[in-house]
Amino acid sequence: MANGQRRKQALSLSKKLLENNVFRFLISGGTSTAVDIVVYFIVFNFILYKQPVEFLGSIVSGHTAALCISFSAGFITNFFISKYFVFSNSNLQTRIQLFRYLIVASVNFGANYFLLKFFVEFLNWYPTPSRALAAMIVAVMSFLLGKYFAFKVKTA
Protein backbone atom coordinates (compact mmCIF):
# COMPACT_ATOMS: atom_id res chain seq x y z
CA MET A 1 0.00 0.00 0.00
CA ALA A 2 1.39 3.38 -0.98
CA ASN A 3 2.06 6.15 1.51
CA GLY A 4 -0.59 8.34 -0.12
CA GLN A 5 -3.21 5.63 0.37
CA ARG A 6 -2.21 5.15 4.03
CA ARG A 7 -2.39 8.89 4.60
CA LYS A 8 -5.90 9.03 3.10
CA GLN A 9 -7.02 6.15 5.33
CA ALA A 10 -5.54 7.80 8.41
CA LEU A 11 -7.23 11.11 7.58
CA SER A 12 -10.54 9.34 6.98
CA LEU A 13 -10.28 7.51 10.30
CA SER A 14 -9.30 10.72 12.11
CA LYS A 15 -12.28 12.55 10.61
CA LYS A 16 -14.67 9.76 11.65
CA LEU A 17 -13.27 9.73 15.18
CA LEU A 18 -13.53 13.51 15.56
CA GLU A 19 -17.16 13.40 14.41
CA ASN A 20 -17.95 10.88 17.16
CA ASN A 21 -19.28 12.53 20.35
CA VAL A 22 -18.05 9.71 22.58
CA PHE A 23 -14.50 10.04 21.23
CA ARG A 24 -14.61 13.84 21.63
CA PHE A 25 -15.96 13.37 25.16
CA LEU A 26 -13.05 11.06 25.95
CA ILE A 27 -10.62 13.73 24.74
CA SER A 28 -12.44 16.39 26.77
CA GLY A 29 -12.77 14.21 29.84
CA GLY A 30 -9.21 13.01 29.57
CA THR A 31 -7.89 16.55 29.29
CA SER A 32 -9.94 17.92 32.17
CA THR A 33 -9.23 14.84 34.30
CA ALA A 34 -5.52 15.25 33.66
CA VAL A 35 -5.79 18.92 34.70
CA ASP A 36 -7.75 17.87 37.79
CA ILE A 37 -5.31 15.14 38.85
CA VAL A 38 -2.18 17.23 38.23
CA VAL A 39 -3.65 20.14 40.20
CA TYR A 40 -4.71 17.69 42.93
CA PHE A 41 -1.21 16.22 43.16
CA ILE A 42 0.46 19.64 43.30
CA VAL A 43 -1.96 21.10 45.84
CA PHE A 44 -2.03 18.03 48.08
CA ASN A 45 1.72 17.39 48.08
CA PHE A 46 3.37 20.79 47.61
CA ILE A 47 0.89 23.44 48.77
CA LEU A 48 -0.94 21.70 51.61
CA TYR A 49 1.98 19.35 52.41
CA LYS A 50 -0.57 16.54 53.01
CA GLN A 51 -1.83 18.38 56.10
CA PRO A 52 -5.41 19.20 57.11
CA VAL A 53 -6.49 22.83 56.74
CA GLU A 54 -8.79 25.05 58.72
CA PHE A 55 -11.68 26.41 56.67
CA LEU A 56 -14.53 28.47 58.15
CA GLY A 57 -13.76 27.20 61.63
CA SER A 58 -13.66 23.54 60.61
CA ILE A 59 -10.76 21.21 60.01
CA VAL A 60 -10.78 19.77 56.48
CA SER A 61 -8.52 16.88 55.50
CA GLY A 62 -5.77 17.69 53.03
CA HIS A 63 -7.13 15.30 50.42
CA THR A 64 -10.61 16.87 50.64
CA ALA A 65 -9.26 20.43 50.37
CA ALA A 66 -7.11 19.43 47.39
CA LEU A 67 -10.18 17.82 45.79
CA CYS A 68 -12.15 21.08 46.08
CA ILE A 69 -9.39 23.07 44.40
CA SER A 70 -8.58 20.52 41.69
CA PHE A 71 -12.23 19.85 40.91
CA SER A 72 -12.73 23.58 40.29
CA ALA A 73 -9.88 23.62 37.79
CA GLY A 74 -11.27 20.53 36.07
CA PHE A 75 -14.78 22.03 36.03
CA ILE A 76 -13.69 25.16 34.18
CA THR A 77 -11.58 23.17 31.72
CA ASN A 78 -14.30 20.62 31.03
CA PHE A 79 -17.13 23.12 30.61
CA PHE A 80 -15.38 25.05 27.86
CA ILE A 81 -14.08 21.96 26.06
CA SER A 82 -17.52 20.34 26.28
CA LYS A 83 -19.31 23.45 25.07
CA TYR A 84 -17.09 24.19 22.09
CA PHE A 85 -15.71 20.76 21.12
CA VAL A 86 -17.94 17.92 22.34
CA PHE A 87 -21.47 19.30 22.34
CA SER A 88 -21.04 22.23 19.93
CA ASN A 89 -24.35 21.37 18.25
CA SER A 90 -26.29 22.24 21.41
CA ASN A 91 -28.63 25.15 20.82
CA LEU A 92 -29.18 26.04 24.48
CA GLN A 93 -28.00 29.44 25.68
CA THR A 94 -24.59 29.48 27.37
CA ARG A 95 -26.01 30.55 30.74
CA ILE A 96 -28.49 27.65 30.69
CA GLN A 97 -25.71 25.24 29.71
CA LEU A 98 -23.51 26.61 32.51
CA PHE A 99 -26.30 26.30 35.08
CA ARG A 100 -27.10 22.73 34.02
CA TYR A 101 -23.42 21.85 33.87
CA LEU A 102 -23.05 23.21 37.41
CA ILE A 103 -25.79 20.80 38.51
CA VAL A 104 -24.02 17.92 36.73
CA ALA A 105 -20.69 18.98 38.24
CA SER A 106 -22.26 19.10 41.71
CA VAL A 107 -23.50 15.52 41.31
CA ASN A 108 -20.06 14.54 40.01
CA PHE A 109 -18.36 16.32 42.89
CA GLY A 110 -20.52 14.46 45.42
CA ALA A 111 -19.74 11.14 43.77
CA ASN A 112 -16.02 11.99 43.62
CA TYR A 113 -16.02 13.11 47.26
CA PHE A 114 -17.63 9.95 48.58
CA LEU A 115 -15.53 7.67 46.39
CA LEU A 116 -12.32 9.47 47.46
CA LYS A 117 -13.33 9.28 51.11
CA PHE A 118 -14.11 5.57 50.72
CA PHE A 119 -10.84 4.75 48.95
CA VAL A 120 -8.58 6.86 51.20
CA GLU A 121 -10.21 6.59 54.62
CA PHE A 122 -11.78 3.13 54.51
CA LEU A 123 -9.56 1.18 52.12
CA ASN A 124 -6.40 3.13 53.11
CA TRP A 125 -5.33 3.63 49.50
CA TYR A 126 -2.99 6.43 48.43
CA PRO A 127 -4.87 9.68 47.71
CA THR A 128 -3.63 10.44 44.17
CA PRO A 129 -4.41 7.00 42.64
CA SER A 130 -7.71 7.05 44.54
CA ARG A 131 -8.52 10.40 42.96
CA ALA A 132 -7.73 9.02 39.51
CA LEU A 133 -9.93 5.94 40.03
CA ALA A 134 -12.83 8.02 41.36
CA ALA A 135 -12.57 10.29 38.31
CA MET A 136 -12.74 7.32 35.93
CA ILE A 137 -15.80 5.88 37.67
CA VAL A 138 -17.64 9.20 37.51
CA ALA A 139 -16.70 9.81 33.84
CA VAL A 140 -19.41 7.53 32.43
CA MET A 141 -22.12 9.20 34.49
CA SER A 142 -20.75 12.60 33.49
CA PHE A 143 -21.00 11.84 29.76
CA LEU A 144 -24.62 10.72 30.03
CA LEU A 145 -25.65 13.72 32.14
CA GLY A 146 -23.79 16.07 29.79
CA LYS A 147 -25.31 14.63 26.65
CA TYR A 148 -28.89 14.28 27.82
CA PHE A 149 -29.15 17.19 30.25
CA ALA A 150 -26.54 19.94 30.29
CA PHE A 151 -25.84 20.17 26.54
CA LYS A 152 -28.89 18.49 25.07
CA VAL A 153 -30.16 19.62 21.70
CA LYS A 154 -33.65 21.06 21.68
CA THR A 155 -35.88 19.51 19.05
CA ALA A 156 -38.28 21.74 17.17
Side-chain angles (χ1 to χ4, degrees):
M1 188 181 294
N3 281 341
Q5 184 67 19
R6 285 188 197 140
R7 189 173 307 156
K8 283 182 184 179
Q9 285 179 334
L11 288 173
S12 175
L13 178 61
S14 297
K15 184 177 179 181
K16 286 179 185 176
L17 282 174
L18 287 174
E19 290 173 354
N20 184 309
N21 264 5
V22 173
F23 181 76
R24 291 189 310 202
F25 178 80
L26 290 173
I27 291 172
S28 168
T31 302
S32 61
T33 300
V35 167
D36 186 324
I37 292 169
V38 167
V39 169
Y40 180 88
F41 178 80
I42 291 168
V43 169
F44 181 70
N45 289 294
F46 301 111
I47 296 175
L48 299 178
Y49 299 106
K50 303 178 185 179
Q51 299 298 311
V53 294
E54 185 177 338
F55 182 73
L56 299 175
S58 297
I59 300 296
V60 178
S61 67
H63 62 82
T64 300
L67 172 65
C68 293
I69 295 166
S70 70
F71 194 86
S72 298
F75 170 85
I76 293 165
T77 304
N78 202 348
F79 175 77
F80 285 108
I81 293 174
S82 292
K83 176 173 177 46
Y84 293 110
F85 181 65
V86 180
F87 302 112
S88 58
N89 62 341
S90 176
N91 49 11
L92 295 175
Q93 294 177 347
T94 298
R95 65 182 169 83
I96 293 171
Q97 289 175 338
L98 182 60
F99 178 72
R100 288 181 175 189
Y101 189 75
L102 185 60
I103 293 170
V104 170
S106 297
V107 169
N108 291 346
F109 181 82
N112 274 294
Y113 172 79
F114 288 112
L115 286 169
L116 185 64
K117 202 147 189 70
F118 175 73
F119 294 149
V120 173
E121 295 181 14
F122 292 104
L123 298 181
N124 294 314
W125 291 358
Y126 291 107
T128 302
S130 296
R131 177 69 192 102
L133 180 59
M136 286 187 262
I137 291 170
V138 173
V140 173
M141 178 180 65
S142 179
F143 173 75
L144 295 173
L145 288 172
K147 181 176 181 175
Y148 296 110
F149 179 65
F151 298 102
K152 81 176 189 177
V153 177
K154 284 185 181 178
T155 55

